[in-house]
Amino acid sequence: MSSLELKPAIEADEWRTAQSQFDEAAELIKLEPWLRDVLREVQREFTCHFPVNLDNGHTRVFTGYRVQHNIHRGPAKGGIRYHPDVSLDEVKALAMWMTWKCAVVNIPYGGAKGGVIVDPRTLSPNELEHLTRRFATEISILVGPDRDIPAPDVGTNAQVMAWFMDTLSMHRGYSVTASVTGKPVEVGGSLGRADATGRGVMICTVAALETMGLKPFNQRVVVQGFGNVGSVSARLLEEAGCQVVAVSEDYGGIYNPLGLPVKKLLEYRAREGTLKGFPGAELVSNEDLLRIECDVLVPAALENQINSLNAGYLQCKLIVEGANGPTTPEADEILRKRGIVLVPDILANAGGVTVSYFEWVQDLQSFFWSEHEINARLESIMKRAFHEVLAIRDEKKVDLRMAAYLLAVNRVAIATADRGIYP
Ligand code: NAD
């Protein structure tokens, strides 16, 4: 059984989670009622149903969404998810989290998200391209470099972003590279973007360990989800001196208490298409992976993985949320009581959107930076945000999630109030 099936139904509602986190922050900063009403809703939600011709000659209709939560600090920004469990409420929550994330790291964007209900692994490359080009066309009435800029998320990658950008460019008749981020470097992508989210996770992990009086050396790390975010986090944490003892994907994970060599594991997975059978490691179920004794747990898969059913059993000192929304409010409460430190998603995984911002700036200027420059700027932004959040935690005596919310909601509320209500 996957851990996704092991969660109380109410906790599986991401939109409820996002709104309740916001409500708590709004209460603490005594936000004016009208600002609460504006910010606890999304500004725009778009649903489309569109046909795609399949390789077998049949036509299938897919459903997709693009949601913009708030655009008062700048154009909307957020990834596109291809997954069978995508729903409007999930996309709304992810869009709201994007608004707070951009505000935590103080980059000039609002929040958006998109998704299509599809398991991309069931499509051929040809079908995937057609689905992408048609979905890009459907949402083209909303997106563009000054309006709303998509990026990769679960189930999408640099190739999908190249098709997206090409489709939007074909409509205009010229290349609009800044319309999408997370593209291949050859078509206006940024050096360092592929690693950016995982690099931010690593920077936050090291910074959080430091506040706990710990060094990365030999800290045992468990990573749930071995995709873009999880695999890069694992590799960079190993480079920072940690020992990665377990990793997982949707079908389960592998564990070696003496440590897994991450680079070899990446080569193995690229060759075999699975983690299963990696020499020297034992198989572990998704549920058991969360109970492994370790120092750092990095959830880097999907939402609601840490919930009231398992939060009491986690055996880690620190959680760094690579994924968006991996912890339910009920679990947060349990973890707080147990003294487990948690670096929240809107801070921990903000490295991706930060380098997406660099990519957009480079595309707009047609002037590209070196990887060293990008990584140095990313590190400085992540460290600044981490320490700003830490200072609020200490001043307001809240946990790191609420401290990040207080910072973000305040910034967005000021922008929304300054702009006023039109007309
Ligand atoms: P991805 O598609 O590259 O990888 C997802 C991984 O999670 C896969 O390895 C998949 O097998 C695994 N997975 C799915 N369900 C699982 C389960 N129940 N248990 C264990 N593993 C499971 O996606 P990604 O881009 O790495 O995104 C992962 C998370 O990080 C998502 O929450 C996403 O929103 C968030 N995120 C991504 C980025 C980015 O730049 N890609 C940025 C910020 C946040």
Side-chain angles (χ1 to χ4, degrees), residues 2-4 81 83 94 101 113 121 152-156 193 197 224-230 248-252 269 286 300-303 305 322-325 349-350 352-353:
S2 91
S3 54
L4 275 177
R81 178 173 295 194
H83 193 277
L94 290 163
K101 191 181 303 180
K113 203 81 180 189
R121 291 175 294 192
D153 189 72
V154 175
T156 56
R193 174 60 184 90
T197 311
Q224 183 201 44
F226 205 58
N228 173 278
V229 178
S248 66
E249 294 207 291
D250 48 357
Y251 50 82
R269 211 263 314 259
N286 279 334
L302 293 170
E303 298 91 63
Q305 297 297 305
N324 287 308
N349 69 39
V353 74

Short mmCIF file of all heavy atoms in Angstrom, two decimals, residues 2-4 81 83 94 101 113 121 152-156 193 197 224-230 248-252 269 286 300-303 305 322-325 349-350 352-353, ligand 1:
data_model
loop_
_atom_site.label_atom_id
_atom_site.label_comp_id
_atom_site.label_asym_id
_atom_site.label_seq_id
_atom_site.Cartn_x
_atom_site.Cartn_y
_atom_site.Cartn_z
N SER A 2 0.56 2.23 -0.84
CA SER A 2 1.37 3.44 -0.85
C SER A 2 0.94 4.33 0.32
O SER A 2 -0.19 4.26 0.79
CB SER A 2 1.19 4.19 -2.17
OG SER A 2 0.15 5.10 -2.06
N SER A 3 1.88 5.19 0.75
CA SER A 3 1.55 6.07 1.88
C SER A 3 0.44 7.04 1.50
O SER A 3 -0.22 7.59 2.34
CB SER A 3 2.79 6.83 2.33
OG SER A 3 3.36 7.50 1.25
N LEU A 4 0.24 7.23 0.17
CA LEU A 4 -0.83 8.11 -0.27
C LEU A 4 -2.18 7.60 0.18
O LEU A 4 -3.10 8.35 0.43
CB LEU A 4 -0.83 8.18 -1.80
CG LEU A 4 0.11 9.19 -2.43
CD1 LEU A 4 0.04 9.07 -3.94
CD2 LEU A 4 -0.24 10.59 -2.00
N ARG A 81 1.84 20.74 -13.56
CA ARG A 81 1.92 19.35 -13.08
C ARG A 81 1.13 18.43 -14.00
O ARG A 81 0.00 18.76 -14.36
CB ARG A 81 1.36 19.30 -11.65
CG ARG A 81 1.34 17.90 -11.06
CD ARG A 81 0.95 17.92 -9.60
NE ARG A 81 1.94 18.60 -8.77
CZ ARG A 81 1.98 18.53 -7.44
NH1 ARG A 81 1.09 17.81 -6.80
NH2 ARG A 81 2.90 19.18 -6.76
N HIS A 83 -0.29 14.77 -13.61
CA HIS A 83 -0.43 13.67 -12.65
C HIS A 83 -1.90 13.25 -12.64
O HIS A 83 -2.79 14.10 -12.75
CB HIS A 83 0.01 14.13 -11.26
CG HIS A 83 0.20 13.02 -10.27
ND1 HIS A 83 -0.85 12.47 -9.57
CD2 HIS A 83 1.29 12.33 -9.90
CE1 HIS A 83 -0.39 11.49 -8.80
NE2 HIS A 83 0.91 11.38 -8.98
N LEU A 94 -1.66 24.92 -4.55
CA LEU A 94 -0.29 25.08 -5.04
C LEU A 94 -0.05 26.51 -5.53
O LEU A 94 1.04 27.06 -5.36
CB LEU A 94 -0.01 24.06 -6.15
CG LEU A 94 0.09 22.59 -5.66
CD1 LEU A 94 -0.07 21.61 -6.83
CD2 LEU A 94 1.42 22.33 -4.95
N LYS A 101 5.66 31.71 -1.41
CA LYS A 101 7.06 31.33 -1.66
C LYS A 101 7.83 32.49 -2.32
O LYS A 101 8.94 32.83 -1.90
CB LYS A 101 7.06 30.11 -2.58
CG LYS A 101 8.40 29.44 -2.73
CD LYS A 101 8.29 28.25 -3.68
CE LYS A 101 7.23 27.25 -3.21
NZ LYS A 101 7.14 26.10 -4.13
N LYS A 113 -0.36 28.25 -10.58
CA LYS A 113 -0.03 26.83 -10.79
C LYS A 113 -0.93 26.30 -11.88
O LYS A 113 -2.03 26.84 -12.10
CB LYS A 113 -0.25 26.03 -9.50
CG LYS A 113 0.55 24.75 -9.45
CD LYS A 113 1.99 25.00 -9.02
CE LYS A 113 2.80 23.74 -8.97
NZ LYS A 113 4.11 24.00 -8.33
N ARG A 121 3.35 8.87 -17.93
CA ARG A 121 4.07 7.63 -18.26
C ARG A 121 3.25 6.73 -19.19
O ARG A 121 3.78 5.80 -19.77
CB ARG A 121 4.44 6.87 -16.98
CG ARG A 121 5.52 7.60 -16.18
CD ARG A 121 5.81 6.92 -14.87
NE ARG A 121 4.68 6.97 -13.96
CZ ARG A 121 4.74 6.66 -12.66
NH1 ARG A 121 5.88 6.28 -12.13
NH2 ARG A 121 3.67 6.74 -11.89
N PRO A 152 8.45 23.78 -14.83
CA PRO A 152 8.19 22.35 -14.59
C PRO A 152 7.74 22.08 -13.17
O PRO A 152 8.03 22.82 -12.24
CB PRO A 152 9.54 21.67 -14.85
CG PRO A 152 10.51 22.73 -15.21
CD PRO A 152 9.89 24.06 -14.96
N ASP A 153 7.00 21.00 -13.01
CA ASP A 153 6.63 20.49 -11.68
C ASP A 153 6.55 18.96 -11.84
O ASP A 153 7.11 18.40 -12.79
CB ASP A 153 5.30 21.10 -11.21
CG ASP A 153 5.00 20.79 -9.75
OD1 ASP A 153 5.66 21.34 -8.86
OD2 ASP A 153 4.10 19.96 -9.48
N VAL A 154 5.84 18.30 -10.95
CA VAL A 154 5.75 16.84 -10.99
C VAL A 154 5.24 16.40 -12.37
O VAL A 154 4.24 16.92 -12.87
CB VAL A 154 4.78 16.33 -9.90
CG1 VAL A 154 4.58 14.82 -10.02
CG2 VAL A 154 5.29 16.70 -8.53
N GLY A 155 5.96 15.47 -12.99
CA GLY A 155 5.52 14.89 -14.26
C GLY A 155 5.85 15.71 -15.49
O GLY A 155 5.54 15.31 -16.61
N THR A 156 6.46 16.88 -15.31
CA THR A 156 6.91 17.67 -16.47
C THR A 156 8.40 17.95 -16.32
O THR A 156 8.96 17.82 -15.23
CB THR A 156 6.14 19.01 -16.60
OG1 THR A 156 6.28 19.73 -15.37
CG2 THR A 156 4.66 18.78 -16.87
N ARG A 193 19.47 25.75 -13.28
CA ARG A 193 18.04 25.64 -12.98
C ARG A 193 17.66 24.21 -12.59
O ARG A 193 16.85 24.00 -11.67
CB ARG A 193 17.18 26.11 -14.17
CG ARG A 193 15.68 25.90 -13.98
CD ARG A 193 15.14 26.66 -12.77
NE ARG A 193 13.72 26.42 -12.49
CZ ARG A 193 13.24 25.46 -11.70
NH1 ARG A 193 14.07 24.60 -11.12
NH2 ARG A 193 11.96 25.34 -11.49
N THR A 197 16.20 23.68 -7.16
CA THR A 197 15.32 23.39 -6.02
C THR A 197 16.07 22.53 -5.00
O THR A 197 16.05 22.81 -3.79
CB THR A 197 14.02 22.70 -6.49
OG1 THR A 197 13.49 23.44 -7.58
CG2 THR A 197 13.00 22.64 -5.38
N GLN A 224 12.26 11.15 0.53
CA GLN A 224 11.05 10.55 -0.05
C GLN A 224 10.78 11.21 -1.40
O GLN A 224 10.53 12.41 -1.46
CB GLN A 224 9.85 10.77 0.87
CG GLN A 224 8.59 10.09 0.36
CD GLN A 224 7.32 10.68 0.92
OE1 GLN A 224 7.18 11.91 1.01
NE2 GLN A 224 6.40 9.84 1.32
N GLY A 225 10.83 10.42 -2.48
CA GLY A 225 10.66 10.99 -3.82
C GLY A 225 12.03 11.20 -4.43
O GLY A 225 12.85 11.94 -3.87
N PHE A 226 12.31 10.52 -5.55
CA PHE A 226 13.65 10.61 -6.15
C PHE A 226 13.53 11.20 -7.56
O PHE A 226 14.12 10.72 -8.51
CB PHE A 226 14.28 9.21 -6.16
CG PHE A 226 15.78 9.21 -6.18
CD1 PHE A 226 16.51 9.83 -5.18
CD2 PHE A 226 16.47 8.57 -7.20
CE1 PHE A 226 17.90 9.82 -5.20
CE2 PHE A 226 17.86 8.55 -7.23
CZ PHE A 226 18.58 9.18 -6.22
N GLY A 227 12.72 12.25 -7.68
CA GLY A 227 12.58 12.95 -8.96
C GLY A 227 13.54 14.11 -9.01
O GLY A 227 14.62 14.08 -8.42
N ASN A 228 13.14 15.17 -9.71
CA ASN A 228 14.02 16.32 -9.86
C ASN A 228 14.47 16.85 -8.50
O ASN A 228 15.67 16.99 -8.23
CB ASN A 228 13.31 17.41 -10.67
CG ASN A 228 14.12 18.70 -10.71
OD1 ASN A 228 14.07 19.50 -9.78
ND2 ASN A 228 14.89 18.89 -11.76
N VAL A 229 13.53 17.10 -7.61
CA VAL A 229 13.87 17.72 -6.33
C VAL A 229 14.59 16.73 -5.41
O VAL A 229 15.66 17.04 -4.85
CB VAL A 229 12.60 18.27 -5.63
CG1 VAL A 229 12.94 18.88 -4.28
CG2 VAL A 229 11.90 19.29 -6.52
N GLY A 230 14.03 15.54 -5.25
CA GLY A 230 14.59 14.57 -4.30
C GLY A 230 15.98 14.10 -4.69
O GLY A 230 16.87 14.02 -3.85
N SER A 248 13.16 6.92 -1.98
CA SER A 248 12.00 6.17 -2.47
C SER A 248 11.40 6.82 -3.71
O SER A 248 11.67 7.99 -4.02
CB SER A 248 10.92 6.10 -1.39
OG SER A 248 10.42 7.39 -1.13
N GLU A 249 10.57 6.01 -4.40
CA GLU A 249 9.72 6.53 -5.47
C GLU A 249 8.32 6.03 -5.20
O GLU A 249 8.06 5.45 -4.14
CB GLU A 249 10.24 6.08 -6.83
CG GLU A 249 11.59 6.69 -7.15
CD GLU A 249 11.87 6.85 -8.62
OE1 GLU A 249 12.05 5.81 -9.28
OE2 GLU A 249 11.89 8.00 -9.11
N ASP A 250 7.39 6.23 -6.15
CA ASP A 250 5.99 5.92 -5.83
C ASP A 250 5.75 4.45 -5.51
O ASP A 250 4.86 4.11 -4.76
CB ASP A 250 5.04 6.40 -6.94
CG ASP A 250 5.50 6.00 -8.33
OD1 ASP A 250 6.57 5.40 -8.44
OD2 ASP A 250 4.77 6.31 -9.29
N TYR A 251 6.57 3.55 -6.06
CA TYR A 251 6.38 2.10 -5.83
C TYR A 251 7.12 1.59 -4.59
O TYR A 251 7.04 0.41 -4.26
CB TYR A 251 6.89 1.33 -7.06
CG TYR A 251 8.28 1.76 -7.47
CD1 TYR A 251 9.40 1.25 -6.85
CD2 TYR A 251 8.46 2.73 -8.47
CE1 TYR A 251 10.67 1.67 -7.20
CE2 TYR A 251 9.73 3.15 -8.83
CZ TYR A 251 10.83 2.62 -8.19
OH TYR A 251 12.08 3.06 -8.52
N GLY A 252 7.85 2.43 -3.87
CA GLY A 252 8.59 1.99 -2.69
C GLY A 252 10.02 2.51 -2.72
O GLY A 252 10.38 3.25 -3.63
N ARG A 269 19.61 3.99 -11.59
CA ARG A 269 18.20 4.29 -11.91
C ARG A 269 18.05 4.71 -13.37
O ARG A 269 17.08 4.35 -14.05
CB ARG A 269 17.68 5.37 -10.97
CG ARG A 269 16.19 5.27 -10.65
CD ARG A 269 15.35 6.16 -11.52
NE ARG A 269 15.91 7.48 -11.62
CZ ARG A 269 15.48 8.53 -10.95
NH1 ARG A 269 14.49 8.40 -10.10
NH2 ARG A 269 16.04 9.71 -11.13
N ASN A 286 6.79 2.43 1.28
CA ASN A 286 6.70 3.89 1.46
C ASN A 286 6.37 4.24 2.91
O ASN A 286 6.86 5.23 3.45
CB ASN A 286 5.65 4.46 0.51
CG ASN A 286 6.22 4.64 -0.87
OD1 ASN A 286 7.42 4.79 -1.02
ND2 ASN A 286 5.38 4.60 -1.88
N ALA A 300 10.06 14.81 -0.66
CA ALA A 300 10.22 15.48 -1.96
C ALA A 300 9.35 14.80 -3.01
O ALA A 300 9.74 14.64 -4.16
CB ALA A 300 11.69 15.47 -2.39
N ALA A 301 8.14 14.37 -2.57
CA ALA A 301 7.23 13.69 -3.51
C ALA A 301 5.97 14.54 -3.70
O ALA A 301 5.96 15.47 -4.50
CB ALA A 301 6.90 12.30 -3.00
N LEU A 302 4.94 14.22 -2.93
CA LEU A 302 3.65 14.90 -3.13
C LEU A 302 3.11 15.42 -1.80
O LEU A 302 3.75 15.29 -0.76
CB LEU A 302 2.65 13.93 -3.77
CG LEU A 302 2.99 13.50 -5.20
CD1 LEU A 302 2.08 12.37 -5.64
CD2 LEU A 302 2.88 14.67 -6.17
N GLU A 303 1.88 15.95 -1.83
CA GLU A 303 1.27 16.51 -0.64
C GLU A 303 0.84 15.42 0.35
O GLU A 303 0.67 14.25 -0.03
CB GLU A 303 -0.01 17.28 -1.00
CG GLU A 303 0.18 18.46 -1.91
CD GLU A 303 0.06 18.09 -3.36
OE1 GLU A 303 -1.01 17.65 -3.80
OE2 GLU A 303 1.07 18.22 -4.07
N GLN A 305 1.89 13.67 2.75
CA GLN A 305 2.59 12.42 3.07
C GLN A 305 2.81 12.27 4.57
O GLN A 305 2.80 11.18 5.11
CB GLN A 305 3.93 12.38 2.33
CG GLN A 305 3.78 12.36 0.84
CD GLN A 305 3.06 11.12 0.36
OE1 GLN A 305 3.47 10.00 0.65
NE2 GLN A 305 1.97 11.28 -0.35
N GLY A 322 11.06 19.50 0.71
CA GLY A 322 11.36 19.70 -0.71
C GLY A 322 10.08 19.77 -1.52
O GLY A 322 9.95 20.54 -2.48
N ALA A 323 9.09 18.95 -1.14
CA ALA A 323 7.79 18.95 -1.83
C ALA A 323 6.95 20.13 -1.35
O ALA A 323 7.24 20.74 -0.33
CB ALA A 323 7.05 17.65 -1.54
N ASN A 324 5.88 20.40 -2.09
CA ASN A 324 4.89 21.39 -1.66
C ASN A 324 3.81 20.69 -0.86
O ASN A 324 3.27 19.67 -1.31
CB ASN A 324 4.26 22.06 -2.88
CG ASN A 324 5.22 23.02 -3.55
OD1 ASN A 324 5.79 23.89 -2.90
ND2 ASN A 324 5.43 22.84 -4.84
N GLY A 325 3.53 21.21 0.32
CA GLY A 325 2.43 20.70 1.13
C GLY A 325 2.55 19.26 1.59
O GLY A 325 1.53 18.58 1.72
N ASN A 349 11.85 24.92 -0.56
CA ASN A 349 11.96 24.58 -1.98
C ASN A 349 11.89 25.81 -2.89
O ASN A 349 11.66 25.69 -4.10
CB ASN A 349 10.94 23.49 -2.38
CG ASN A 349 9.50 23.97 -2.35
OD1 ASN A 349 9.20 25.09 -2.73
ND2 ASN A 349 8.60 23.09 -1.93
N ALA A 350 12.15 26.99 -2.30
CA ALA A 350 12.07 28.23 -3.09
C ALA A 350 13.27 28.43 -4.02
O ALA A 350 13.29 29.37 -4.82
CB ALA A 350 11.94 29.43 -2.15
N GLY A 352 14.03 26.73 -6.58
CA GLY A 352 13.59 26.52 -7.97
C GLY A 352 13.03 27.79 -8.58
O GLY A 352 13.45 28.22 -9.66
N VAL A 353 12.11 28.41 -7.87
CA VAL A 353 11.51 29.62 -8.44
C VAL A 353 12.51 30.77 -8.45
O VAL A 353 12.46 31.65 -9.31
CB VAL A 353 10.18 29.99 -7.73
CG1 VAL A 353 10.40 30.59 -6.36
CG2 VAL A 353 9.37 30.95 -8.60
P1 NAD B 1 9.19 14.68 -10.26
O1 NAD B 1 8.05 14.29 -11.10
O2 NAD B 1 10.52 14.95 -10.89
O3 NAD B 1 9.43 13.60 -9.11
C1 NAD B 1 8.45 13.16 -8.21
C2 NAD B 1 8.99 11.94 -7.51
O4 NAD B 1 8.13 11.56 -6.44
C3 NAD B 1 9.13 10.72 -8.41
O5 NAD B 1 10.36 10.09 -8.09
C4 NAD B 1 7.96 9.83 -7.97
O6 NAD B 1 8.19 8.46 -8.19
C5 NAD B 1 7.93 10.16 -6.49
N1 NAD B 1 6.70 9.82 -5.78
C6 NAD B 1 5.42 10.05 -6.13
N2 NAD B 1 4.59 9.60 -5.18
C7 NAD B 1 5.36 9.08 -4.19
C8 NAD B 1 5.12 8.47 -2.93
N3 NAD B 1 3.88 8.28 -2.49
N4 NAD B 1 6.17 8.07 -2.19
C9 NAD B 1 7.43 8.25 -2.62
N5 NAD B 1 7.73 8.82 -3.80
C10 NAD B 1 6.71 9.22 -4.57
O7 NAD B 1 8.70 15.96 -9.43
P2 NAD B 1 9.58 17.10 -8.76
O8 NAD B 1 9.72 18.20 -9.72
O9 NAD B 1 10.78 16.49 -8.13
O10 NAD B 1 8.57 17.58 -7.60
C11 NAD B 1 8.49 16.94 -6.33
C12 NAD B 1 7.86 17.89 -5.34
O11 NAD B 1 8.62 19.11 -5.26
C13 NAD B 1 6.44 18.35 -5.68
O12 NAD B 1 5.73 18.58 -4.49
C14 NAD B 1 6.67 19.68 -6.39
O13 NAD B 1 5.53 20.51 -6.38
C15 NAD B 1 7.80 20.22 -5.55
N6 NAD B 1 8.60 21.27 -6.18
C16 NAD B 1 9.20 21.09 -7.38
C17 NAD B 1 9.99 22.09 -7.91
C18 NAD B 1 10.76 21.92 -9.21
O14 NAD B 1 11.54 22.81 -9.52
N7 NAD B 1 10.61 20.85 -9.95
C19 NAD B 1 10.14 23.30 -7.22
C20 NAD B 1 9.53 23.45 -5.99
C21 NAD B 1 8.77 22.42 -5.47
#
